[in-house]
Amino acid sequence: MSTSLVLPSLVVAVLVLAPIDSGAPALGPHAAQASDSEARRAHGLAAATHHGDRLARIASEDDALALYRTDLAPALGIEDTTPLLDPTETRRRRPESVPPPALKVPALNLVKELARWDAARALREAADGGQTSELAALVQREGQREPWLFSGEEARNLGRALRIAAVIVAVQDPLAATVQQSTSSRELATYLDDTYPDFASGPQSWVLLAEQEGAAGIRQRMLEHWKGDGRGDVSEAAMRWYFQTRLRPVFLAQVAASALLAEAEAQRHADELWRQLRSWREDWSTARGRARLCGTWAWTVHNHQNHQDHKMVVTFPPPDLTVTGPALPKSIVVLGDSVYLRWEFPGGYQEDSLLLSGKDKRLEGTFVNSRGPYGAITGRKVKRCSPE
């Protein structure tokens, strides 16, 4: 878009709006310094997961929204999102009219990720400590809200940790620790170790079997050794010994590893959702600015270096229309009546600083080019924005 390179007389160009640069100034209650805001976010997200009792009881959207309104939104500095949890009106609007966003879905997802974060941490700590009683309590608690909390690809690792923990709880026998190694248990160990040597990986691993078939699958595999020879009492004792000495340590390690991954995933997703909720004012301001620009403009660019005028036609699409092309501005920021454009090219850039006026029918301002050209830009809207 450099006037020294691509602005011959009567050039016709199409300008499409790029997303607002992430470095745009914050508005309203988010105008604090970025470092303070980031510190508050990091502390708030971590602290939010310590609403343990309330997060543990969430099993529905109503519960999640109540906790978001009363505790989480204030703790995370996004109180101004709570009035926008209900869907906005859906009546037809003019193209330049942009309603405030409905934030119910990201708010619900944020609570869900924080609850997953809390559940994953509890599972990891119980597995690290080898506390079967704590695992049993968690399996019972999380099983009651599994449809809400464990659905979706985002909960894959958390669901895996819970399923394997459920196997430990179902198979674990308090008396197994007292079972002594015997001829029967040695026979069983030799057979199973030779037949199924992969404990944690592979298509026949014990971990995969536990995840897919649960405690019943584990028991059925161990019973293969006897094939109904009538030694039921002996086989039960041997199986308890094998589970306690061979499988339980592997399963506990897998629960801890999967839960650790689930913690990291939940933290990352929560951070992304927090940023989305925090930036709603800036995003809304950008959409309104794009709606004001929407339409076709006749631009006159005056180069002060050679005192020549270059004319061009610029078209701004509606704010909800994504358009791609070879000549897009790197950054577009609309704050009030001020419009900032930055173009980047091989070996240079151009910056346009413009001002909307005349009921959004005029654009006036200046440009500067890294290769030397500078001057004035005058724009006149010749066609209103066309609704989709």
Side-chain angles (χ1 to χ4, degrees):
M1 194 70 183
S2 166
T3 56
S4 64
L5 299 175
V6 294
L7 288 180
S9 179
L10 297 178
V11 167
V12 178
V14 176
L15 177 65
V16 290
L17 285 174
I20 188 170
D21 189 271
S22 60
L27 299 179
H30 303 310
Q33 293 293 326
S35 59
D36 293 341
S37 178
E38 289 299 306
R40 185 178 187 186
R41 173 198 61 80
H43 173 75
L45 282 176
T49 64
H50 290 284
H51 290 270
D53 291 342
R54 297 196 64 184
L55 283 171
R57 291 197 299 269
I58 293 176
S60 68
E61 289 189 358
D62 291 341
D63 295 340
L65 288 176
L67 180 59
Y68 181 86
R69 285 190 174 96
T70 59
D71 289 58
L72 299 181
L76 295 173
I78 48 177
E79 304 95 317
D80 59 342
T81 62
T82 56
L84 302 175
L85 297 181
D86 297 323
T88 56
E89 54 185 322
T90 57
R91 64 182 176 84
R92 184 174 178 83
R93 295 175 178 269
R94 296 174 298 172
E96 64 270 22
S97 177
V98 179
L103 301 179
K104 179 179 179 180
V105 172
L108 282 171
N109 288 337
L110 175 59
V111 180
K112 184 176 291 188
E113 293 300 338
L114 292 173
R116 287 172 176 166
W117 188 355
D118 177 70
R121 181 175 56 200
L123 281 169
R124 175 181 55 80
E125 291 175 350
D128 284 340
Q131 300 298 318
T132 305
S133 58
E134 293 182 13
L135 283 176
L138 290 170
V139 167
Q140 181 179 10
R141 185 188 81 181
E142 303 305 340
Q144 295 174 352
R145 56 179 183 165
E146 186 169 355
W148 182 80
L149 194 62
F150 291 82
S151 61
E153 180 63 23
E154 298 85 354
R156 181 173 58 87
N157 283 307
L158 181 58
R160 189 182 199 197
L162 183 65
R163 287 190 293 273
I164 297 174
V167 172
I168 296 174
V169 172
V171 179
Q172 177 67 40
D173 186 338
L175 300 179
T178 64
V179 175
Q180 299 297 317
Q181 187 178 19
S182 63
T183 301
S184 180
S185 61
R186 286 194 294 271
E187 290 176 0
L188 177 64
T190 299
Y191 169 77
L192 292 176
D193 290 349
D194 290 343
T195 308
Y196 304 103
D198 296 326
F199 283 89
S201 63
Q204 289 189 307
S205 71
W206 288 95
V207 167
L208 184 62
L209 180 67
E211 185 180 1
Q212 294 181 343
E213 299 186 27
I218 297 294
R219 178 178 175 81
Q220 185 62 35
R221 176 177 287 185
M222 289 194 290
L223 281 172
E224 290 178 5
H225 176 56
W226 286 279
K227 301 184 188 308
D229 63 2
R231 292 190 294 168
D233 294 340
V234 175
S235 65
E236 288 294 333
M239 287 191 295
R240 289 199 303 269
W241 177 86
Y242 189 83
F243 182 85
Q244 179 72 16
T245 59
R246 295 287 207 278
L247 300 184
R248 185 174 183 273
V250 176
F251 288 177
L252 286 173
Q254 186 62 59
V255 171
S258 296
L260 184 62
L261 289 173
E263 279 187 86
E265 291 168 348
Q267 182 178 5
R268 183 178 71 255
H269 294 153
D271 183 78
E272 293 169 354
L273 290 162
W274 176 85
R275 292 177 186 275
Q276 177 184 348
L277 290 163
R278 179 180 177 272
S279 66
W280 79 266
R281 285 186 181 273
E282 291 91 331
D283 297 340
W284 185 38
S285 175
T286 301
R288 287 186 298 170
R290 291 179 56 173
R292 294 174 66 189
L293 289 174
C294 182
T296 302
W297 296 75
W299 275 20
T300 300
V301 180
H302 180 78
N303 188 332
H304 286 336
Q305 282 194 333
N306 54 29
H307 301 289
Q308 292 183 354
D309 288 342
H310 305 279
K311 297 182 183 297
M312 54 193 303
V313 174
V314 180
T315 299
F316 292 84
D320 55 351
L321 180 64
T322 300
V323 181
T324 59
L328 301 179
K330 179 68 174 180
S331 300
I332 293 181
V333 179
V334 181
L335 294 175
D337 294 332
S338 299
V339 179
Y340 165 80
L341 309 178
R342 179 181 173 90
W343 303 81
E344 294 187 358
F345 307 98
Y349 66 87
Q350 178 171 309
E351 293 180 335
D352 303 337
S353 298
L354 308 169
L355 189 68
L356 277 165
S357 62
K359 296 183 179 180
D360 300 336
K361 294 181 179 180
R362 291 187 64 82
L363 264 175
E364 297 177 298
T366 61
F367 77 90
V368 60
N369 189 291
S370 61
R371 296 188 177 183
Y374 66 97
I377 298 176
T378 301
R380 178 174 57 87
K381 186 179 285 188
V382 296
K383 185 180 178 180
R384 293 184 59 183
C385 185
S386 300
E388 294 186 76

